[in-house]
Structures are given as C-alpha cells and as structure tokens.
Amino acid sequence: EVQFTWSPIFLTETFDQEQLRDWLIVDEGNIDGPSSWNVRLGRLEQSANIFGPDTQTLVGRKGTFLWWSKTSAAAWSNYNCSVVLHSGDDDGIGLLFRFRDPTNYYKLELDRQQDFRRQTKVVAGVETVIATQPGGYTQDQDVYVAIECKGSEIKASIDGETLFGGPVI
C-alpha cells in the first residue's frame, strides 16, 4: 500500500483493484531483467532480481521502479508519504520521492546485504549521496517507511525511528 498525504490528499493507492492504473514501470538494470511487477491480493509485488551495472556498484545502482504518471504529481513539493515495504531477499529496496521524471528524483534506499540506509538525490541521471547510516532493513517482515518533505528538509523514518539523525537539508 502506498499513501501520499498532505492537505489535500494527493494520492492514496491500496492496489485493491489488482491493476496498475496510472503507474509506469521503468527498468534501468541490465542484469536479470526484465522486472516482474504484479498486483496480487492488494499488494504490489516485484519478483525479479533485476540490477546493474554490476554486483560491485554501490552508488548509482540501477534496478526497477514504478512511478505514478499523473502530470499533477510533478508539482508536489511539500508532502508526507508512507509505504509498507516487505522483502524476502536481502538486496536493495526503497522509495522514490520528489519525483519529477525518471532522471530527477530523491531516493531512500535500504540494503540488508550491504548493511546501509541511504538517501540520494538524482539530477539529470547523476546520483549523489546526501545521507547514509548502517542498518539495512528486517528481511521477511513489513517495514513501515515514512518521508516528510517540507521546504528544503526531508525527514525519513523506518518503523517510527528517525533516520540520519533528523531532517536532511
């Protein structure tokens, strides 16, 4: 379930219709693709192990992502969003936000295998790390991720625990 909220509510998506209305899939990874996105029993699932450019890359990794394609979303700036993530694998998972297009956005990336939590900014396709800490995520359990975007501040949390020592500018 994905929910983006602010006053007014911009988007609430429960995936209960078992279809991807207004969502677009982007596969950036060049290994073990294509992605395999499905909606089943009200949950969005991606089951392929798509990645790139290679197994040693830690910054600028490529995988797959899904984004809400309504033009109005590009105008959002101050909002809260939350998502429940769940992975049976130990690779990278995450959430894109302040998304403008497939080459301009922010990303919260969690990686259990490499033991990190990272916030990055992607501008014109170039990724820059803006905050990082150890931790990853708990495999095979729901992980509640929340992002608060207000002005130049971004506050991220996992299961109610604030990441990166507080808001990142």
Side-chain angles (χ1 to χ4, degrees):
E1 179 177 324
V2 176
Q3 183 172 323
F4 293 81
T5 59
W6 199 253
S7 185
I9 295 174
F10 295 135
L11 169 66
T12 298
E13 178 65 81
T14 59
F15 299 108
D16 55 0
Q17 298 298 314
E18 299 202 0
Q19 57 184 328
L20 295 174
R21 302 175 309 268
D22 301 315
W23 293 90
L24 293 180
I25 297 167
V26 175
D27 284 354
E28 296 179 312
N30 56 357
I31 302 169
D32 287 344
S35 63
S36 179
W37 290 94
N38 297 292
V39 176
R40 189 169 51 105
L41 302 173
R43 292 187 80 139
L44 177 63
E45 299 177 346
Q46 198 295 118
S47 56
N49 198 31
I50 183 171
F51 70 98
D54 56 52
T55 56
Q56 286 75 41
T57 301
L58 292 180
V59 176
R61 300 190 302 179
K62 305 296 180 189
T64 182
F65 60 87
L66 190 78
W67 64 285
W68 196 57
S69 63
K70 290 285 190 178
T71 355
S72 59
W76 300 349
S77 59
N78 295 323
Y79 60 86
N80 298 348
C81 62
S82 61
V83 61
V84 177
L85 299 176
H86 187 108
S87 180
D89 198 358
D90 64 354
D91 295 329
I93 60 174
L95 176 65
L96 305 185
F97 56 97
R98 286 200 166 163
F99 189 92
R100 297 294 174 248
D101 59 55
T103 61
N104 295 284
Y105 53 85
Y106 286 82
K107 174 173 58 172
L108 177 65
E109 187 175 10
L110 313 173
D111 192 307
R112 179 176 169 81
Q113 187 178 72
Q114 301 295 329
D115 188 41
F116 68 76
R117 298 167 174 177
R118 181 177 358 199
Q119 190 171 308
T120 60
K121 179 169 81 169
V122 178
V123 177
V126 177
E127 185 172 313
T128 304
V129 176
I130 56 177
T132 189
Q133 71 181 53
Y137 59 91
T138 305
Q139 189 173 339
D140 291 318
Q141 290 186 17
D142 286 350
V143 179
Y144 181 79
V145 176
I147 304 283
E148 298 175 28
C149 301
K150 186 174 182 183
S152 62
E153 291 186 353
I154 300 167
K155 181 181 174 188
S157 64
I158 297 177
D159 296 328
E161 173 195 341
T162 300
L163 302 180
F164 315 121
V168 174
I169 306 297

